[in-house]
Amino acid sequence: GHDLRMGIVKSACFGALSAWICLGHGFLIHRGPLAYSGPEGVSQTTTSAVVTSSLAVLLADYILSSLML
């Protein structure tokens, strides 16, 4: 029961967090001081979004695990 609920909550949170970060990076690709353009910009933005999402998921996992135990 508890493990199943924790797994469902965590996966939903991780999916929403990753989507939110990647959408934000994609929306801001042409704005701000680090504005990129062309294929190089897409590559830079994708790498940045993946790294940010990975770190955010690790942090969220720590926080959610602490709160749900």
Side-chain angles (χ1 to χ4, degrees):
H2 177 69
D3 289 338
L4 180 62
R5 186 179 69 227
M6 184 186 271
I8 291 171
V9 169
K10 280 182 163 185
S11 62
C13 289
F14 296 161
L17 184 63
S18 294
W20 179 67
I21 289 171
C22 292
L23 286 170
H25 277 264
F27 180 73
L28 298 174
I29 190 171
H30 298 296
R31 299 174 186 253
L34 299 175
Y36 302 115
S37 62
E40 183 179 346
V42 173
S43 173
Q44 293 281 345
T45 302
T46 302
T47 302
S48 175
V50 168
V51 170
T52 304
S53 292
S54 298
L55 293 175
V57 165
L58 286 173
L59 180 65
D61 184 36
Y62 176 76
I63 292 170
L64 288 173
S65 293
S66 298
L67 293 175
M68 295 182 81
L69 289 178

